[in-house]
């Protein structure tokens, strides 16, 4: 059935115990967490300055640690599936000097990137332990969760000005510079600014946002992990971003946010078919996201669900970032009575689907998906949760 979501208190206890193991019985002084996210609709629109509608998840990354004299840093991850080595030691460079990324382990580059782009006073030496319940490579933004958790950890040691949007942007810069992924702002933004009981409509051009209630007790968001892992540092993600930039340039626009379908049709002869399809998806997906928000506000879940399916079909056929496993899960979900809509979520090529359904339909939906899916899925019955925060050890 549904996978259990570990309580934050249990993750904190595990991190605290591991800290004592790693550091000779020493105790951490600071604890924080930051959530992963699921995007309800608005995929591959964020780096096109469009709209997205994610919500923060109860799946989180916890960081515990303490400051130490000097410039030595030690970070240990207890996160399952993280690449080896699970412990990294490095010395912080002189003020103003770059902190170069490592070839391995990859997870440590998110930490290094956050240190590089931290907006507060100069970072000093520290030791820390990371524990996470956000599945790696599952399309639920384990990377942003780690970045935002580490930024929040540094805020406890060296407080910055507290500007939350600038915090999200700094974490996005960390992913660009040290992980080599030219991601949009969505993942870091909702991990910082998520609110319990609400999805977040984010304007990725202005960075303005508004909350959209998800408080109906008869409504459930089911996240299904296909357990097909992806890595976005390959050519697929950057190539699509480049195609979108080329399409916008052909249209004489700064971004596809400013283009209409009429603009695109008029320019069709001036771009290749693949670039046309990429732009077609983005322009329609931006419109779908705004329509979906209006449907959610009036509790028209059937219309929201139809837009979710249209989004998936567009990601499959036009943007070509789905895969057979995700298509199977979406198709199977839509066969279940009480399911409003389902779609792939995240960068694609594996990872998760997100399904909006009646609470009364959860059990039969999970059973049906287990029966129809060729792989072994993991299910999370989720609620919209709060964003990054400091924790106390008396949780």
């Amino acid at each position: 059935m549904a996978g259990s979501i570990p309580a934050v208190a249990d993750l904190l206890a595990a991190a605290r115990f591991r800290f004592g193991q790693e550091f000779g019985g020493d105790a951490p002084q600071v604890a924080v967490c930051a959530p992963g996210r699921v995007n309800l609709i608005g995929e591959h629109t964020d780096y096109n300055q469009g709209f997205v509608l994610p919500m923060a998840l109860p799946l989180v990354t916890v960081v515990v640690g303490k400051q130490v004299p000097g410039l030595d840093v030690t970070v240990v991850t207890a996160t399952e599936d993280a690449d080896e080595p699970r412990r990294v030691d490095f010395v912080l460079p002189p003020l103003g000097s770059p902190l170069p990324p490592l070839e391995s382990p990859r997870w440590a580059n998110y930490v290094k990137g956050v240190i590089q782009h931290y907006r507060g006073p100069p970072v000093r030496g520290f030791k820390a332990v990371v524990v996470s319940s956000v599945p790696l490579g599952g399309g639920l933004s384990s990377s942003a969760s780690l970045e935002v958790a580490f930024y929040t950890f540094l805020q406890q040691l060296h407080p910055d000005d507290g500007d939350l949007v600038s915090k999200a942007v700094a974490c996005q810069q960390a992913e660009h510079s040290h992980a080599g992924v030219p991601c949009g702002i969505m993942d870091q933004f909702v991990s910082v600014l998520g609110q319990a009981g609400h999805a977040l409509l984010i304007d990725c051009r202005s960075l303005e946002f508004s909350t959209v209630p998800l408080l109906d007790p008869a409504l459930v968001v089911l996240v299904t992990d296909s357990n097909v892992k992806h890595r976005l540092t390959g050519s697929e993600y950057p190539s699509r971003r480049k195609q979108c930039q080329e399409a916008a340039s052909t249209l004489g626009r700064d971004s596809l946010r400013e283009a209409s379908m009429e603009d695109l049709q008029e320019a069709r002869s001036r771009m290749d078919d693949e670039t046309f399809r990429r732009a077609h998806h983005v322009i329609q997906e931006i419109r779908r996201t705004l329509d979906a928000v209006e449907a959610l506000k009036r509790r028209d879940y059937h219309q929201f669900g139809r837009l979710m399916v249209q989004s998936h079909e567009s990601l499959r056929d036009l943007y070509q970032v789905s895969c057979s496993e995700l298509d199977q899960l979406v198709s199977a979900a839509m066969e279940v009575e009480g399911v409003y809509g389902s779609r792939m979520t995240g960068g694609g090529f594996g990872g998760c689907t997100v399904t909006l359904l009646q609470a009364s339909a959860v059990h039969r939906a999970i059973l049906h998906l287990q029966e129809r899916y060729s792989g072994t899925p993991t299910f999370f019955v989720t609620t919209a949760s709060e964003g990054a925060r400091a924790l106390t050890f008396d949780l």
Side-chain angles (χ1 to χ4, degrees), residues 103-115:
E103 285 195 18
S104 65
R106 294 187 302 273
W107 63 266
N109 286 329
Y110 299 109
V111 175
K112 284 192 155 194
V114 169
I115 294 171

Side-chain angles (χ1 to χ4, degrees), residues 37-40 43 138-140 343-348 350-354:
R37 65 95 188 95
V38 66
N39 191 23
L40 299 175
E43 214 67 73
L140 302 180
R343 59 184 288 277
M344 61 153 280
T345 185
C352 293
T353 63
V354 57

Side-chain angles (χ1 to χ4, degrees), residues 49-68:
Q49 298 189 11
F51 293 93
V52 290
L53 187 68
M55 70 181 206
L57 290 171
L59 298 159
V60 301
T61 297
V62 169
V63 178
V64 303
K66 65 185 296 185
Q67 195 162 336
V68 299

Side-chain angles (χ1 to χ4, degrees), residues 61-351:
T61 297
V62 169
V63 178
V64 303
K66 65 185 296 185
Q67 195 162 336
V68 299
L71 297 174
D72 292 331
V73 169
T74 300
V75 186
V76 176
T77 181
T79 303
E80 290 184 20
D81 298 329
D83 55 326
E84 298 285 354
R86 301 284 180 87
R87 174 175 175 144
V88 293
D89 297 272
F90 56 91
V91 179
L92 295 170
L95 185 63
S97 299
L99 184 58
L102 298 164
E103 285 195 18
S104 65
R106 294 187 302 273
W107 63 266
N109 286 329
Y110 299 109
V111 175
K112 284 192 155 194
V114 169
I115 294 171
Q116 179 79 64
H117 295 284
Y118 185 63
R119 300 176 58 257
V123 175
R124 309 295 292 174
F126 64 84
K127 49 189 179 182
V129 166
V130 181
V131 175
S132 185
S133 58
V134 187
L136 301 188
L140 302 180
S141 204
S142 57
S143 56
S145 177
L146 175 57
E147 291 153 4
V148 173
F150 240 98
Y151 195 104
T152 308
F153 171 71
L154 294 180
Q155 285 179 304
Q156 312 314 304
L157 302 182
H158 314 283
D160 67 354
D161 61 9
D163 185 311
L164 296 181
V165 172
S166 295
K167 173 180 176 177
V169 171
C171 291
Q172 178 197 25
Q173 291 170 336
E175 186 138 351
H176 289 187
S177 65
H178 282 64
V181 179
C183 62
I185 191 62
M186 171 180 65
D187 298 350
Q188 294 83 3
F189 200 104
V190 71
S191 187
V192 171
L193 287 142
Q195 293 191 24
H198 295 79
L200 217 59
L201 175 65
I202 306 169
D203 181 335
C204 298
R205 181 171 63 189
S206 69
L207 300 186
E208 295 173 329
F209 66 97
S210 58
T211 56
V212 183
L214 269 175
L215 298 165
D216 188 339
L219 192 69
V220 163
V221 175
L222 176 67
V223 174
T224 304
D225 190 345
S226 69
N227 287 308
V228 176
K229 301 301 182 184
H230 68 240
R231 280 187 63 193
L232 292 182
T233 48
S235 64
E236 299 287 1
Y237 185 97
S239 72
R240 277 158 181 75
R241 183 162 185 159
K242 184 170 183 287
Q243 287 169 328
C244 291
Q245 291 168 340
E246 289 172 351
S249 178
T250 299
L251 295 170
R253 303 289 192 273
D254 289 335
S255 71
L256 290 176
R257 160 72 174 274
E258 299 166 9
S260 66
M261 282 304 300
E262 291 77 13
D263 296 331
L264 184 63
Q265 292 292 353
E266 287 175 6
R268 183 164 194 167
S269 63
R270 291 185 280 125
M271 63 181 74
D272 63 71
D273 287 345
E274 193 171 79
T275 302
F276 177 85
R277 289 196 300 271
R278 305 298 188 246
H280 188 175
H281 163 74
V282 170
I283 293 168
Q284 287 198 320
E285 184 80 348
I286 290 170
R287 182 71 254 170
R288 263 193 296 270
T289 303
L290 295 176
D291 291 344
V293 167
E294 292 308 309
L296 199 57
K297 285 179 178 177
R298 63 177 183 266
R299 297 196 173 194
D300 186 348
Y301 304 137
H302 289 286
Q303 174 62 8
F304 191 94
R306 283 190 288 271
L307 292 165
M308 290 178 77
V309 173
Q310 289 173 19
S311 172
H312 180 80
E313 292 170 346
S314 179
L315 288 159
R316 180 192 66 201
D317 300 335
L318 299 176
Y319 221 66
Q320 296 178 296
V321 291
S322 188
C323 61
S324 60
E325 294 88 352
L326 295 174
D327 296 341
Q328 278 182 30
L329 287 169
V330 169
S331 178
M334 295 311 300
E335 295 168 352
V336 178
E337 183 181 352
V339 168
Y340 296 114
S342 186
R343 59 184 288 277
M344 61 153 280
T345 185
F349 311 105

